[in-house]
Amino acid sequence: MMNTILELVIFQIREACMYLPNAFKLAATVCFAAALAGLSVCRAFHKKLTVKFVFRFALRLIWLFTFVTYSYCVLQLTILSRTPVPRYGRIDWVFLSRWFDNNEQKAFYIANIVMFIPFGVLLPMSGKPMRHILIAAPIATACSIGIEAVQLKYRLGACQLDDVLLNSLGFLIGFLVYLALADVYGLLSAIAKFLYRHRKI
């Protein structure tokens, strides 16, 4: 049974990856516009393009490219690629109401968790305020509720309490991954600085 569920989850991930080509095009366009805007601002204020500034700006563009790509795929998967279905006109408040229906439903539940894991990694990278879980988590939950609200209004999918809870769980997992990666990066940076200073001495 687990193999079947895993295969269904992988199938849904592959379905999301089908949107990557268009997502890359959109992300590249947004990053190009952001780069032009950034260079224009630097030129207008006569800001020197130091190596440190260029490096940080490049990292921002990489983050922006990744975030736009991810957001496009999620929106396509949950809203933009769907067609209205008459029966989707109510809110399901029952927790795990469809878990025991079949393996496909179980795969949907797991996919809802997986879908928001990247968001948990990307959101805290956007700025210092988003590195506080009490700020980031409500934003992630609000995004999930927004998706469910659009699905409910336009009858694009089942509006379920489960989806919001599972999306939020996925975000928390991603946030923990971010914290782990940040700790590893901090440790490696500290070691590199120590070795550099030791070498100079």
Side-chain angles (χ1 to χ4, degrees):
M1 185 180 74
M2 285 302 299
N3 289 336
T4 304
I5 295 173
L6 183 60
E7 288 174 2
L8 289 169
V9 172
I10 293 173
F11 174 79
Q12 292 182 46
I13 294 173
R14 286 178 178 173
E15 185 180 359
C17 290
M18 291 172 56
Y19 303 113
L20 283 177
N22 288 334
F24 288 153
K25 291 178 184 177
L26 176 63
T29 302
V30 172
C31 288
F32 181 74
L36 286 180
L39 292 173
S40 299
V41 171
C42 290
R43 189 173 181 179
F45 290 94
H46 305 288
K47 186 176 180 61
K48 292 183 179 180
L49 297 179
T50 62
V51 174
K52 186 177 181 180
F53 174 81
V54 172
F55 179 73
R56 287 185 174 179
F57 190 69
L59 288 179
R60 285 291 177 184
L61 288 179
I62 292 171
W63 177 88
L64 181 61
F65 183 89
T66 307
F67 187 77
V68 172
T69 300
Y70 166 74
S71 300
Y72 179 87
C73 291
V74 169
L75 289 175
Q76 282 288 350
L77 196 64
T78 58
I79 295 173
L80 300 178
S81 66
R82 298 191 177 192
T83 54
V85 178
R87 72 173 183 272
Y88 292 138
R90 64 183 184 84
I91 302 175
D92 185 356
W93 296 99
V94 181
F95 182 59
L96 296 179
S97 60
R98 299 185 180 182
W99 174 261
F100 299 101
D101 288 0
N102 49 54
N103 289 336
E104 188 175 4
Q105 289 299 328
K106 290 181 175 67
F108 275 123
Y109 274 71
I110 296 172
N112 270 310
I113 297 174
V114 174
M115 183 173 67
F116 261 57
I117 291 177
F119 194 41
V121 177
L122 291 170
L123 186 61
M125 289 182 177
S126 64
K128 195 172 182 179
M130 296 303 162
R131 294 170 194 164
H132 296 280
I133 189 64
L134 295 180
I135 297 176
I139 291 176
T141 302
C143 289
S144 179
I145 291 173
I147 292 172
E148 294 300 310
V150 172
Q151 288 182 346
L152 176 64
K153 180 174 177 59
Y154 297 101
R155 300 175 184 269
L156 300 175
C159 182
Q160 297 175 277
L161 172 65
D162 287 341
D163 290 352
V164 176
L165 295 177
L166 294 172
N167 289 161
S168 299
L169 175 59
F171 173 82
L172 291 176
I173 293 172
F175 196 88
L176 291 175
V177 171
Y178 165 79
L179 292 178
L181 293 175
D183 287 342
V184 172
Y185 175 79
L187 178 61
L188 293 176
S189 298
I191 293 173
K193 288 178 181 178
F194 173 79
L195 292 176
Y196 178 74
R197 290 173 183 172
H198 183 72
R199 185 180 178 184
K200 288 182 67 176
I201 294 172

